[in-house]
Amino acid sequence: MSDAVLPSVLFVCVHNAGRSQMAAAFLTQLAGDRVQVRSAGSAPADSVNAAVVQALTEVGIDISAEVPKVLTAEAVQASDVVITMGCGDTCPVFPGKRYLDWQLTDPAGQGVDAVRPIRDEIEHRIRGLIEEIAPEPRS
């Protein structure tokens, strides 16, 4: 790997227990060490949504050890791209950052059947994001 600074992405959701955890897990899985990944919430839940854990396990991603984290201004400042997950969260705004809002259904209180389409939509968006910010090196 070159000395180039890796692009960094922060996923934000109120509870950091569903959408932002899925997005961070997919970006970590699919981009590997080409991207720095963070996720956080303004009012973190006690634990990650069990249906989200199950839905990701079905596609070979284990987030059972993840815990919701609190959103800090430092996390925003340390990130190049800040993606809110359609939860109306307010992030500290810093110049030079790129802010995106992905309108996604909230998996809170839903069973795994309802979480799967949200998971698949997040994976689709993450693949597009990787192409944009950290494409596979051409050999």
Side-chain angles (χ1 to χ4, degrees):
M1 194 89 199
S2 72
D3 290 339
V5 176
L6 297 177
S8 58
V9 179
L10 169 65
F11 295 102
V12 178
C13 210
V14 176
H15 301 300
N16 187 222
R19 294 165 285 191
S20 53
Q21 290 281 352
M22 284 192 280
F26 272 118
L27 186 53
T28 300
Q29 175 94 6
L30 298 171
D33 59 3
R34 300 194 317 271
V35 180
Q36 287 184 321
V37 182
R38 299 177 182 85
S39 73
S42 54
D46 293 332
S47 60
V48 175
N49 179 323
V52 166
V53 173
Q54 183 181 342
L56 284 177
T57 300
E58 292 174 357
V59 294
I61 300 174
D62 179 8
I63 64 162
S64 59
E66 291 297 324
V67 291
K69 293 169 274 313
V70 70
L71 176 64
T72 63
E74 293 77 23
V76 176
Q77 211 156 10
S79 302
D80 301 313
V81 181
V82 178
I83 301 175
T84 53
M85 312 302 286
C87 18
D89 242 17
T90 52
C91 285
V93 175
F94 294 100
K97 305 292 172 201
R98 181 168 166 211
Y99 293 87
L100 301 171
D101 184 46
W102 289 356
Q103 293 295 324
L104 296 160
T105 304
D106 189 349
Q110 311 248 31
V112 73
D113 289 341
V115 174
R116 286 184 190 110
I118 303 167
R119 172 200 67 200
D120 297 344
E121 172 67 16
I122 289 172
E123 179 182 10
H124 173 74
R125 291 179 185 223
I126 291 297
R127 289 182 182 280
L129 180 70
I130 292 169
E131 280 304 307
E132 191 181 320
I133 68 168
E136 280 282 359
R138 304 277 180 241
S139 48

